[in-house]
Amino acid sequence: MAKKIIKRSWAEPFKIKVVEPIKMTTREYREKCAKEAGYNTFLLKSADVYIDLLTDSGTNAMSDYQWAGMMIGDEAYAGSRNFYYLWDNVKKYYGMPYFVPTHQGRAAEHLISKIMIKPGDYIPGNMYFTTTRLHQELAGGTFVDVIIDEAHIPQNKHPFKGNVDLQKLEDLIKKVGAKKIPYVSIAGPVNMAGGQPISMQNLKEVSKLCDKYGIKLWFDATRATENAYFIKVREKGYENKSIALILKEMCSYFDGLWVSAKKDLMVNIGGFLATRNKKVYEEARNMVVVYEGLHTYGGLAGRDMEAMARGIEEMVEFDNIKARVGQVEYCGKQLEKYGIPMVYPFGGHAIFLDAKKFLPHLRQDVFPAQALANEIYVDSGVRGMERGIVSAGRDPKTGQHRYPKLELVRLTFPRRVYTQAHIDVMVESIATVFQNRKQIKGLKMVYEPKYLRFFQARFSKL
């Protein structure tokens, strides 16, 4: 008689050493909190949140190796040894010879935009990211989306929905001229598309096209190890290569990159700009002194740079990234059992709920994703965030709402923070909200800041 094959489970590649207590509140209390926060999950107090899936930016759990490094921070104003250790690891793992630290990723976006963009320029990219596009616009540029059409269709299962449509890119180059395009902006994976990766083959093709027209290629490498993981498991020829080797090959096609270290590097603060372009490096090193701090600390403490350097070493470990993406996949598969509409394939850092299909009775101009994020919080204390019309903001020329094709709620998993049991609680909450979805009403925006309104806007119920 043949033996029954026993399915073998995997577990997180770490054990818990320190715990932080969290508390469950009542529904009545959360209703009060949501109203006081103007139905904006960004304005909730963290003490009133049970499971916080707002973002993975700076919310990760550092390892004992990183915490040990914090104790040897060299807090010299100039020439900290932690800076040089971090620089060495940037060269080793990203392959970029020049490096400028910043306090977080958007500071690096700011520097690059001011250095490279002139008024009237166009910056094509594989879907926008909120802070990136704003810095490009403030510098006088216009972002142009050249991502493949599949990226705008939540149920499409293309394995690399972060790919650039080469025809769209070349059409733009021919229309405005290569001199009007300071660089092509590539993210991998693409956050706003649902954490979708770009393939190595597509990167090669984009690089070749940019070389043809003499256009630079820059990389938002904030979650690049997740992209490297998807290349390893989905793209032929990379299955036997390490995450570190894939990451370095990806970076080899770029003139430079910026990173929010608060994601892949698993630290609470930090970022950097790295490039192989000495002229850009010299300008950035000069400007960082004006906006951030001396070029050997860039607004960071020495201990933070040490934790970043050690985080780079840990982020390329296959078991770490497999467990990180595995949590997202587990969550998605559990939600499928209840028929929850989501973005496919599941992303590397978050599950994205399709608010248009979840709440088909709500028009997009009554902010369905914003309303859905609030309903989930009120039901269980789980905090997610809107990625739809509120995040898209207004067109700077017309002043009208931008209406993105994707209207999403992002549920983002901090690295090494929550267990499978936390995920089960969240899944059951979303399933409950889905059962009662016809009762959910839209929202009216009652306060709107000038920039990045999703952070501080306030709403009232209709």
Side-chain angles (χ1 to χ4, degrees):
M1 182 176 178
K3 290 184 178 180
K4 183 179 180 181
I5 298 175
I6 299 173
K7 182 181 177 182
R8 304 300 293 267
S9 298
W10 62 270
E12 290 80 3
F14 55 83
K15 59 183 180 180
I16 297 170
K17 184 177 289 187
V18 177
V19 297
E20 176 186 350
I22 55 176
K23 65 177 182 178
M24 172 64 88
T25 54
T26 65
R27 181 182 181 92
E28 291 73 22
Y29 181 79
R30 294 191 296 274
E31 286 176 343
K32 175 176 173 287
C33 292
K35 184 176 181 180
E36 289 176 351
Y39 302 102
N40 185 343
T41 54
F42 274 96
L43 300 180
L44 291 167
K45 296 176 181 177
S46 65
D48 298 326
V49 174
Y50 179 49
I51 300 173
D52 201 345
L53 305 181
L54 184 75
T55 181
D56 60 342
S57 182
T59 59
N60 308 290
M62 291 201 298
S63 68
D64 55 355
Y65 179 55
Q66 288 177 294
W67 278 110
M70 296 280 279
M71 298 304 295
I72 57 171
D74 175 5
E75 307 306 340
Y77 187 87
S80 164
R81 64 175 176 270
N82 311 116
F83 164 80
Y84 290 105
Y85 177 27
L86 177 55
W87 192 356
D88 284 344
N89 274 354
V90 168
K91 287 185 282 189
K92 179 179 178 180
Y93 291 94
Y94 293 90
M96 295 287 171
Y98 304 118
F99 157 75
V100 176
T102 59
H103 82 279
Q104 63 181 56
R106 73 191 59 170
E109 292 173 345
H110 173 228
L111 295 179
I112 285 300
S113 298
K114 287 188 73 68
I115 290 168
M116 299 190 69
I117 298 172
K118 304 183 303 296
D121 281 348
Y122 294 84
I123 305 91
N126 56 344
M127 200 174 285
Y128 82 99
F129 184 67
T130 51
T131 58
T132 312
R133 183 176 65 185
L134 178 60
H135 284 302
Q136 292 166 348
E137 290 175 349
L138 291 174
T142 299
F143 173 82
V144 181
D145 188 2
V146 292
I147 203 166
I148 59 174
D149 290 340
E150 290 89 337
H152 296 284
I153 305 171
Q155 282 68 47
N156 190 292
K157 295 186 178 181
H158 190 295
F160 292 102
K161 288 165 77 173
N163 281 358
V164 169
D165 185 316
L166 298 173
Q167 191 60 56
K168 289 180 183 178
L169 177 55
E170 190 158 26
D171 287 347
L172 177 68
I173 295 170
K174 290 179 178 179
K175 178 181 178 181
V176 304
K179 291 184 178 179
K180 283 283 187 179
I181 300 177
Y183 63 95
V184 176
S185 179
I186 298 295
V190 180
N191 192 341
M192 303 300 285
Q196 302 299 318
I198 182 171
S199 72
M200 194 74 82
Q201 181 59 38
N202 187 248
L203 264 183
K204 294 176 183 178
E205 293 167 349
V206 173
S207 176
K208 185 177 179 180
L209 183 61
C210 287
D211 286 344
K212 175 183 174 181
Y213 289 98
I215 297 172
K216 301 297 184 184
L217 192 57
W218 276 75
F219 188 24
D220 179 350
T222 292
R223 295 186 178 89
T225 57
E226 292 170 16
N227 203 105
Y229 174 84
F230 284 126
I231 288 173
K232 180 177 175 67
V233 300
R234 294 181 185 174
E235 192 163 359
K236 187 177 180 180
Y238 290 92
E239 57 273 10
N240 295 320
K241 292 190 177 183
S242 68
I243 298 295
L245 283 175
I246 297 171
L247 172 65
K248 201 162 187 179
E249 183 182 342
M250 288 171 61
C251 295
S252 72
Y253 299 109
F254 294 92
D255 194 54
L257 54 85
W258 62 85
V259 167
S260 170
K262 298 163 68 176
K263 284 82 168 179
D264 269 359
L265 280 63
M266 296 171 284
V267 293
N268 304 127
I269 197 70
F272 63 85
L273 176 159
T275 182
R276 57 186 87 257
N277 187 317
K278 190 172 183 180
K279 183 180 178 181
V280 171
Y281 163 66
E282 293 289 356
E283 289 191 53
R285 189 171 66 162
N286 187 27
M287 287 176 58
V288 77
V289 178
V290 178
Y291 294 107
E292 295 283 293
L294 195 66
H295 63 281
T296 57
Y297 78 88
L300 293 167
R303 57 184 175 271
D304 294 321
M305 291 189 286
E306 183 71 22
M308 286 169 61
R310 296 183 179 211
I312 290 176
E313 296 166 7
E314 292 186 339
M315 75 180 187
V316 295
E317 294 174 3
F318 179 75
D319 286 343
N320 268 336
I321 193 69
K322 181 183 178 182
R324 191 273 195 290
V325 177
Q327 274 200 330
V328 178
E329 291 176 346
Y330 171 80
C331 179
K333 289 176 181 178
Q334 295 303 109
L335 287 168
E336 279 183 328
K337 295 177 181 179
Y338 297 96
I340 307 299
M342 295 173 282
V343 173
Y344 289 89
F346 303 135
H349 70 291
I351 285 294
F352 289 74
L353 306 180
D354 183 354
K356 283 185 177 180
K357 286 191 175 295
F358 202 114
L359 303 174
H361 59 288
L362 296 184
R363 303 187 318 270
Q364 196 171 12
D365 62 0
V366 296
F367 314 113
Q370 190 77 34
L372 178 55
N374 275 281
E375 289 297 325
I376 294 169
Y377 167 73
V378 169
D379 180 77
S380 61
V382 172
R383 174 161 67 168
M385 69 167 293
E386 185 267 5
R387 277 298 185 224
I389 185 173
V390 182
S391 293
R394 294 182 182 272
D395 186 297
K397 294 179 180 178
T398 67
Q400 299 299 309
H401 289 308
R402 292 182 172 114
Y403 286 85
K405 293 180 181 178
L406 297 175
E407 183 73 17
L408 311 174
V409 170
R410 190 184 79 180
L411 301 160
T412 321
F413 291 79
R415 295 158 184 81
R416 306 187 292 205
V417 172
Y418 292 116
T419 66
Q420 186 169 302
H422 289 110
I423 296 173
D424 291 338
V425 169
M426 181 262 284
V427 167
E428 292 160 7
S429 171
I430 293 170
T432 301
V433 172
F434 189 60
Q435 285 182 338
N436 301 318
R437 61 192 180 278
K438 292 182 180 180
Q439 300 173 22
I440 299 175
K441 297 180 179 179
L443 300 171
K444 176 184 178 182
M445 190 180 293
V446 294
Y447 169 70
E448 180 179 1
K450 185 176 181 180
Y451 301 124
L452 301 174
R453 63 186 186 179
F454 63 94
F455 283 129
Q456 299 177 51
R458 300 182 71 87
F459 304 83
S460 64
K461 287 193 173 183
L462 292 175

